Amino acid sequence: MNTFINEKLLPPVMKFVNTKAITAIKNGMLYPIPFIVIGAIFLILSSFPYTPIANYLSDIGLSPIFAQANNASFGIMAFFAVFGIAYSWVHDEGYDAVPAGMLAVVVDILLQPDTVKSVTNIADPSKVSTAWQASGVIDKAWLGGKGMIVAILVGLFVGWSYSWFLKRNITIKMPEQVPANVAASFTALIPGAAIVTVATIIYGIFKLGFQTTIVEWIYTVIQTPLQHATDGPLGVVVVAFIPVFLWFFGVHGATIVGGIMTPLLLANNADNLALYKAGNLDVAHGAHIVTQAFMDQFITVTGSGMTIGLVIFMLIRARSVQMKTLGKLEIVPALFNINEPILFGLPLVLNPLMAVPFILAPLVSGFLTYGAIALGVIAPFNGLYVPWTTPAIISGLIVGGWQGALWQGLMLVVTGLLYWPFAMKYDKVLQDQEAAS
């Protein structure tokens, strides 16, 4: 099995993961993360998950101020992503990448609607009318979760096409005496003009031919179906099974899956946040079940494989020196959802005896949590973004209130008990090895 997976299964997977497009998305999505974290802090303050405090902050006028800080950071994550993806592609090709990132921002905004409308009678589609319309504006909704798929596509297109021009030297060459920053601006002139022209033609085709924009078309035809696809059992399998399956063979599965799924999961988060603010956070109103919070707080909490139960066993029940020592080293990192010390130190990687609980634990938590939300036992998560290093229970409280914290604790107990019999067996194996040596 090990030979089959390493020689037949993993090579094509890794070949796909290491393609230029996937690498650009994975690396480019790192650029919004600091601003998402910063914005998340203000998001929690503006929509505090404890009603009395939330009402007090609203009454004294601080909630809209905090919301403004969130809107300027977390709220425009697609804006950062489109820059980061184009920049990463061109940088990996070995060229000055800043002009490509700026060009991607230009194209992204060019393709968006330039009007904001307010409609009435929306309950009856046959009587929809426009109350007012503002032109020449940028709707920040398309710079956030709604514009994430467009940001990815634009970033990849600009990164590829800009590199294509530079590889073929289709640029304006300046004498060596010209300062580097001035020469770089002229280098970007021809590729930039060509790419903006193509984007303008695309915008014109959709605007004149279909009375819409490509951004709105992609959101309706591509992004919305993808978000719903991630929101079902298949989405649970992708975020719960594939990361630990790859980790078992020593591949950082959480990074690979997160790089691909994060744009969609963050878009699901944004939809839930809008419903939460409107007081309609339930499945009946279209709330998503599988979100970034679903993955971070109920699939990878305490580390990939949800290993806190194993760490507790190592700390209080293990008899082998190896397990007891690693338990003392890992307990603090585990509280902040870091478990590399036992992934490679115990190890869990390529350990057939521990493979069953390691792979099953996130699946059990994922499907139980999915069922609990679908059946109304707990509410969908509120869309608040919590940094992945936030300790368990606290993170559950932020994204789901006391019910979310209680359910998160229950999942940690259930998955911890799943580890226990396998850990006892492996501990005996280690004791025998230590006695023999």
Side-chain angles (χ1 to χ4, degrees):
M1 177 62 71
N2 186 38
T3 301
F4 168 76
I5 290 177
N6 278 301
E7 295 182 2
K8 301 295 184 181
L9 184 59
L10 280 182
V13 171
M14 296 309 298
K15 184 178 181 180
F16 169 74
V17 167
N18 291 321
T19 58
K20 290 181 180 179
I22 298 301
T23 300
I25 294 172
K26 184 173 62 177
N27 294 338
M29 285 303 300
L30 294 176
Y31 289 93
I33 295 299
F35 308 103
I36 289 175
V37 173
I38 293 169
I41 297 172
F42 289 100
L43 178 58
I44 293 170
L45 293 173
S46 67
S47 303
F48 206 82
Y50 182 57
T51 303
I53 295 179
N55 290 339
Y56 173 75
L57 292 174
S58 179
D59 291 340
I60 64 176
L62 287 181
S63 291
I65 294 175
F66 294 143
Q68 176 72 355
N70 167 69
N71 290 335
S73 49
F74 189 3
I76 57 172
M77 56 185 173
F79 184 81
F80 299 118
V82 70
F83 178 95
I85 293 169
Y87 178 92
S88 296
W89 185 303
V90 176
H91 181 269
D92 289 344
E93 294 285 4
Y95 301 110
D96 180 15
V98 173
M102 297 173 67
L103 179 60
V105 170
V106 172
V107 172
D108 189 51
I109 294 177
L110 189 160
L111 296 176
Q112 294 177 15
D114 64 346
T115 60
V116 176
K117 300 177 181 179
S118 174
V119 299
T120 58
N121 297 321
I122 59 174
D124 185 352
S126 65
K127 298 180 180 179
V128 171
S129 61
T130 301
W132 56 264
Q133 175 175 309
S135 300
V137 298
I138 297 176
D139 186 349
K140 283 196 293 187
W142 299 111
L143 299 179
K146 289 179 67 176
M148 190 57 74
I149 296 299
V150 171
I152 292 174
L153 295 176
V154 169
L156 294 177
F157 167 70
V158 172
W160 170 79
S161 54
Y162 189 87
S163 299
W164 185 89
F165 277 93
L166 266 59
K167 286 179 180 179
R168 288 159 179 77
N169 291 316
I170 308 176
T171 61
I172 296 176
K173 302 294 183 182
M174 301 297 291
E176 294 183 358
Q177 295 81 3
V178 176
N181 58 335
V182 177
S185 64
F186 280 92
T187 298
L189 192 57
I190 292 178
I195 293 170
V196 169
T197 300
V198 170
T200 303
I201 292 172
I202 293 173
Y203 176 82
I205 291 173
F206 276 84
K207 189 71 173 178
L208 299 177
F210 303 100
Q211 304 303 310
T212 185
T213 63
I214 189 173
V215 170
E216 294 166 295
W217 183 84
I218 287 175
Y219 179 75
T220 302
V221 176
I222 300 177
Q223 179 163 332
T224 299
L226 280 176
Q227 286 185 243
H228 286 296
T230 64
D231 208 22
L234 177 61
V236 178
V237 172
V238 170
V239 300
F241 171 73
I242 296 179
V244 288
F245 177 77
L246 294 175
W247 256 126
F248 181 75
F249 297 95
V251 179
H252 202 306
T255 297
I256 292 172
V257 173
I260 299 171
M261 293 292 290
T262 292
L264 293 172
L265 296 180
L266 286 176
N268 288 353
N269 254 35
D271 289 348
N272 278 19
L273 179 60
L275 291 172
Y276 173 65
K277 289 181 176 179
N280 296 320
L281 186 62
D282 54 58
V283 176
H285 284 89
H288 299 284
I289 297 177
V290 183
T291 63
Q292 190 68 39
F294 184 96
M295 180 176 179
D296 290 346
Q297 277 72 64
F298 293 86
I299 299 296
T300 60
V301 63
T302 73
S304 293
M306 299 184 68
T307 52
I308 189 63
L310 174 60
V311 175
I312 292 174
F313 171 89
M314 295 163 62
L315 194 64
I316 67 174
R317 176 64 177 79
R319 298 292 179 265
S320 64
V321 174
Q322 180 174 335
M323 270 199 168
K324 289 192 293 185
T325 303
L326 280 172
K328 295 175 183 177
L329 292 174
E330 170 60 18
I331 185 61
V332 174
L335 296 177
F336 297 93
N337 308 316
I338 299 168
N339 67 343
E340 276 78 359
I342 59 170
L343 288 174
F344 296 103
L346 187 60
L348 289 173
V349 171
L350 293 177
N351 186 337
L353 186 57
M354 298 303 298
V356 172
F358 181 59
I359 292 175
L360 280 184
L363 281 170
V364 168
S365 176
F367 278 106
L368 287 177
T369 302
Y370 184 91
I373 296 174
L375 295 174
V377 177
I378 59 175
F381 304 122
N382 55 27
L384 298 177
Y385 180 85
V386 180
W388 66 269
T389 50
T390 304
I393 308 303
I394 296 175
S395 61
L397 180 67
I398 293 173
V399 302
W402 68 265
Q403 299 95 331
L406 183 62
W407 185 265
Q408 189 182 51
L410 177 62
M411 291 302 96
L412 293 178
V413 171
V414 170
T415 55
L417 293 176
L418 185 62
Y419 273 101
W420 209 267
F422 295 91
M424 291 179 66
K425 178 63 177 177
Y426 190 57
D427 185 45
K428 183 64 169 62
V429 170
L430 292 177
Q431 287 182 70
D432 293 342
Q433 291 177 352
E434 290 169 358
S437 63

